[in-house]
Amino acid sequence: MSEAKRLAGEKAIEFVEDGMIVGVGTGSTVAYFIDALGGIRDRIKGAVSSSEQSTARLKQHGIEVLDLNHTGTLSLYVDGADECDPHKRLIKGGGAALTREKIIAEASKQFVCIVDPSKQVPVLGRFPLPVEVIPMARSLVARAILAMTGGQPVWRDGVTTDNGNVVLDIHNLSITDPVAMEREINQIPGVVSVGLFARRPADIVIVGGEPPIVLR
Ligand code: 5RP
């Protein structure tokens, strides 16, 4: 799948305009986008990064990493996904960067999601849904999510997010109303964010292939 990821990441460069500050997601597909962004680094003002991992790669390419508090609204955000439904709603957080990703998506006028074809699903939920949780609330949130959704929460043992929190992955879901599930999980005390991007879905999805497909 890495070839499809590369083709999606490189296609997204077409959405970058001169002088932009680009929002940059996290993951192996985004890594291809960052590498391509490095080739046009003199045309952009800089990037806002969603993770320490992406920050390191951006800096390796000589791209300035800026603070979202200083940039204001961004024109463009490019990120991958773990699943994407036909309405461009997403599951994200496989790389545990979901909270910063959600913040940048919210701050951006256009969200371009780059995926390989394996990420396309008719209904979200085959991929375990990541939820970032304050450490002391881990068991409380797991019990609440089990009661609320029937899905099985599994602690991603050994993983600490860039924000110092833990991740629960919710297995065996079939998410027919992702907007409602996003809202309900968000309301559980101790939840920092849920990896459902339904209230603010992607605007454009690029599916890597020969040629890449751009879904608008
Ligand atoms: C990280 C993410 C990634 O976008 C998602 O996990 C997809 O990763 P990859 O491009 O490596 O398949 O949400 O938190």
Side-chain angles (χ1 to χ4, degrees), residues 5 26-30 79-82 92-98 101 119:
K5 290 182 179 196
T26 298
S28 56
T29 316
V30 166
D79 198 358
D82 300 299
K92 292 185 45 51
L98 60 159
E101 291 173 341
K119 307 291 181 65

Side-chain angles (χ1 to χ4, degrees), residues 35-131:
D35 292 350
L37 202 57
I40 59 160
R41 69 164 181 259
D42 295 336
R43 283 179 39 204
I44 62 168
K45 270 197 200 143
V48 172
S49 171
S50 61
S51 64
E52 301 303 327
Q53 181 191 318
S54 289
T55 296
R57 201 171 187 106
L58 286 160
K59 287 183 174 171
Q60 274 168 20
H61 283 288
I63 297 169
E64 190 177 359
V65 177
L66 302 164
D67 182 339
L68 184 64
N69 290 303
H70 301 153
T71 61
T73 302
L74 303 177
S75 304
L76 175 68
Y77 178 49
V78 178
D79 198 358
D82 300 299
E83 276 188 354
C84 172
D85 82 1
H87 304 284
K88 305 186 183 73
R89 301 175 298 197
L90 315 169
I91 286 183
K92 292 185 45 51
L98 60 159
T99 299
R100 296 187 190 188
E101 291 173 341
K102 205 170 236 195
I103 291 167
I104 303 177
E106 187 71 20
S108 301
K109 288 187 190 147
Q110 189 174 53
F111 177 5
V112 174
C113 183
I114 49 179
V115 294
D116 66 70
S118 72
K119 307 291 181 65
Q120 293 183 289
V121 296
V123 178
L124 300 173
R126 190 184 58 196
F127 189 91
L129 175 65
V131 182

Side-chain angles (χ1 to χ4, degrees), residues 3-15 29 32-33 35-36 114 206 212:
E3 183 63 3
K5 290 182 179 196
R6 183 181 67 76
L7 291 164
E10 291 178 357
K11 181 74 178 172
I13 287 293
E14 292 177 15
F15 291 83
T29 316
Y32 289 111
F33 173 70
D35 292 350
I114 49 179
I206 300 176

